[in-house]
Amino acid sequence: MLYIKKIISEKIEEKVRSAYPEAEIGADTIEQMLEYPPDAKMGDLALPCFKLSKTLRNAPPRIAAAIADGFDCPCVERAEALNGYFNLYLDGNYMARKVLLEISEKKEKYGAPSLGDGKVVVLDYSSPNVAKPFHIGHLGTTVIGHSLKRLHEFAGYKCVGINYLGDWGTQFGKLIVAYRMWGNKELIEEGGIDKLVELYVKFHAEAEKDASLNDKAREEFHKLEQGDEENIALWQWFVEISLAEYQKTYKQLGIEFDSYKGESFYTDKMPAQVQKLRDMGLMKIDDGASIVDLEEYGMPPCLILKRDGSTLYPTRDIAAAVYRKETYGFDKAIYVTSAGQSLHFKQWFKVVELMGYDWYDKLVHVPYGTVSINGEKLATRTGNVILLKDLFALAIEKVSAIINEKNPDLPNREETAEAVGIGAVVFYYLSGSRMKDINFLMEDALSFDGNTGPYVQYTYARACSVLEKGGEPDASMEFTVTADEEKELVKALSTFEEKVLEAIDTYEPSVIIRYILDVASAFNRFYHNCTILGVDDEKIRNTRLMLASATKTVLGNAFGLVCMKKTEKI
Ligand code: ARG
């Protein structure tokens, strides 16, 4: 639609120039003002002329009338001035030719804006804490983060996905103590991360009774920091075991990271930044700790060093940002975490600015709301949490049951159940705007009717099946659009690029989810109201197959942007 908007805006500009010779208004400005009316009865595009009344010093109805007078543009079937709006009814055949051909030519590139132009974006997301459960609270950072990566890649950015593993800290001292006291190598090798979490939970329970365990843990962590060989070996093993488990989940989601440099990697990179803060006189001592005072900026102080000189979360983030700037030369660094960490990011972004790094304004924090399941809030400390892998397993199991019942002969049943089950969770999760808290209702997420993942994947499969039966359409044939449903589908398909731009601009994968729903419902209306394969007229049949093929391409491209797999058959 961007192309159509552009030529229409140029025509409108011409009209405005001749009616208001002194006015200075460009086609670009007009393009920004164009709107999609809520109802196709009011046109396919409209210009609300009150937006021009100040510049043109004229009343909206007059402006609309002046533009409408003798308006002529090949893509427009009819145009009218109504209540201060200039309404445009687009020509269905023109649009179909333009949009369907573009989709069939660009294929997996259709809808991709050229925004990034080789610029580098670094994305820090998922980043679980090793040996602590990978739970449903991590779903947000994982899927929002990866969607933002896909969106930026699609727009031509060079993206670096970083999993900033929480692989350092006093929890390893605890784990080492717990392992030596109660651990069992074979059991852990078999049971993986769950066994580590059990040890961690047991440590906390025992330390309640015997506080000396905490001192022991501190000691072991200190030894680890000093490079004690045995402790280092244990630590590496804990990290490996955890990573193997995360990777299973990432694989299910189709996620790969470009870097797994976790917190431990930055240990030797912090002193230089601490020294710089000291040299610049930015640090002051407060009750023995080193802080950067941010009162002037309306924030509590940013903690750099504890009383015992050990580093803190912000210290590490500052060092990591400097390293990433030097290594990747990013044009934008995105961090996706729960909104609970917003202050942390505001604080250290400010410190980076005060340190004189001129790229401070390239740092972006993307927060998101909380998740509860069936109304229950999640506790993290107690070990009583819903693990991501369990949630996925449950979704897959339920979808399998549905498939077994409805389509027992489906080939690749397992693969499909996995794609649909996980797709359902992701789709449901990403449906609302990211800051909204979510209450996860499994039944709703998995339903095949309603605005769900299974519904849109089913729609995709339906388009595939039409094409399988009807054969690939001939793009060189003349198109003919005869039904409203066809025109509406073309319109829906045409706005993909605009939605991608909006999603990137607002860091909102939900924009793509809503778009997928729009396309799916337009396709299903078309599918139910227009005969496709049984039509005699060759041109109509071919146009309809082109529509099915275009829908397949656009849905497929959009799925890829929100961590959903394509399912040719369900
Ligand atoms: N590991 C942290 C957590 O689970 C998230 C890390 C986010 N990224 C960052 N650069 N601070 O809370």
Side-chain angles (χ1 to χ4, degrees), residues 60-71:
R62 293 240 187 141
I63 300 172
I67 299 173
D69 183 33
F71 189 89

Side-chain angles (χ1 to χ4, degrees), residues 451-484:
N451 292 335
T452 62
Y455 159 73
V456 298
Q457 277 176 322
Y458 189 72
T459 305
Y460 179 84
R462 176 174 270 168
C464 292
S465 132
V466 169
L467 290 166
E468 197 183 38
K469 291 190 197 119
E472 283 300 321
D474 177 359
S476 66
M477 211 187 255
E478 192 188 331
F479 301 149
T480 162
V481 165
T482 50
D484 286 347

Side-chain angles (χ1 to χ4, degrees), residues 76 94-95 126 164 249 285-286 332 371 438 482 514 537:
V76 175
Y94 180 99
M95 265 206 300
S126 198
Y164 182 61
T249 305
I285 307 291
D286 183 61
K332 195 152 71 164
V371 195
I438 305 177
T482 50
R514 282 196 300 276
D537 186 308

Side-chain angles (χ1 to χ4, degrees), residues 301-567:
C302 184
L303 306 177
I304 304 295
L305 298 174
K306 284 197 227 167
R307 291 170 71 134
D308 64 4
S310 57
T311 52
L312 285 137
Y313 192 38
T315 328
R316 224 168 271 279
D317 258 326
I318 293 168
V322 173
Y323 173 84
R324 290 171 190 174
K325 183 67 198 176
E326 281 166 2
T327 310
Y328 305 111
F330 59 71
D331 295 278
K332 195 152 71 164
I334 295 171
Y335 298 82
V336 187
T337 78
S338 75
Q341 298 195 27
S342 292
L343 179 62
H344 160 75
F345 282 94
K346 276 205 196 85
Q347 288 175 305
W348 76 260
F349 287 0
K350 192 63 180 182
V351 174
V352 166
E353 180 183 350
L354 295 173
M355 291 171 89
Y357 289 118
D358 60 2
W359 40 267
Y360 71 91
D361 57 349
K362 308 271 191 276
L363 304 170
V364 185
H365 179 227
V366 178
Y368 59 87
T370 60
V371 195
S372 48
I373 293 199
N374 297 332
E376 277 183 53
K377 282 258 180 283
L378 305 155
T380 31
R381 278 278 157 116
T382 53
N384 173 28
V385 294
I386 294 163
L387 300 179
L388 216 44
K389 63 170 180 189
D390 293 341
L391 180 72
F392 285 168
L394 187 65
I396 294 168
E397 188 189 305
K398 297 212 168 188
V399 170
S400 286
I402 298 173
I403 292 179
N404 283 344
E405 186 195 311
K406 291 196 174 168
N407 193 0
D409 303 324
L410 182 74
N412 304 328
R413 267 204 324 232
E414 270 176 35
E415 221 176 284
T416 307
E418 180 171 304
V420 176
I422 288 176
V425 173
V426 170
F427 195 89
Y428 187 85
Y429 182 82
L430 290 176
S431 297
S433 52
R434 63 183 152 75
M435 281 304 282
K436 246 177 70 191
D437 293 341
I438 305 177
N439 180 24
F440 205 98
L441 300 170
M442 197 56 146
E443 292 302 319
D444 286 6
L446 293 180
S447 158
F448 270 71
D449 22 60
N451 292 335
T452 62
Y455 159 73
V456 298
Q457 277 176 322
Y458 189 72
T459 305
Y460 179 84
R462 176 174 270 168
C464 292
S465 132
V466 169
L467 290 166
E468 197 183 38
K469 291 190 197 119
E472 283 300 321
D474 177 359
S476 66
M477 211 187 255
E478 192 188 331
F479 301 149
T480 162
V481 165
T482 50
D484 286 347
E485 290 85 2
E486 293 169 301
K487 184 175 162 187
E488 287 306 309
L489 177 55
V490 172
K491 251 167 68 183
L493 296 169
S494 76
T495 56
F496 187 30
E497 185 175 341
E498 284 156 74
K499 299 295 176 181
V500 172
L501 286 167
E502 186 188 335
I504 292 176
D505 197 44
T506 55
Y507 301 98
E508 273 291 3
S510 62
V511 171
I512 303 299
I513 299 286
R514 282 196 300 276
Y515 177 68
I516 290 173
L517 285 171
D518 284 348
V519 172
S521 82
F523 178 77
N524 284 318
R525 272 195 303 274
F526 155 73
Y527 181 85
H528 288 299
N529 292 311
C530 305
T531 310
I532 304 176
L533 303 176
V535 187
D536 289 333
D537 186 308
E538 210 25 59
K539 269 196 231 156
I540 294 181
R541 186 176 186 274
N542 189 63
T543 305
R544 292 183 176 170
L545 284 172
M546 280 297 286
L547 280 164
S549 163
T551 302
K552 177 181 169 187
T553 302
V554 173
L555 283 181
N557 291 1
F559 286 1
L561 299 177
V562 288
C563 310
M564 290 224 312
K565 294 188 178 150
K566 299 184 273 193
T567 42

Side-chain angles (χ1 to χ4, degrees), residues 184-196 237 241 245 248 389:
N184 173 315
K185 192 160 194 275
E186 285 74 44
L187 270 185
I188 292 176
E189 243 142 34
E190 230 170 81
I193 195 168
D194 294 352
K195 293 286 160 210
L196 292 182
W237 183 53
I241 285 179
E245 176 98 14
K248 283 187 214 152
K389 63 170 180 189

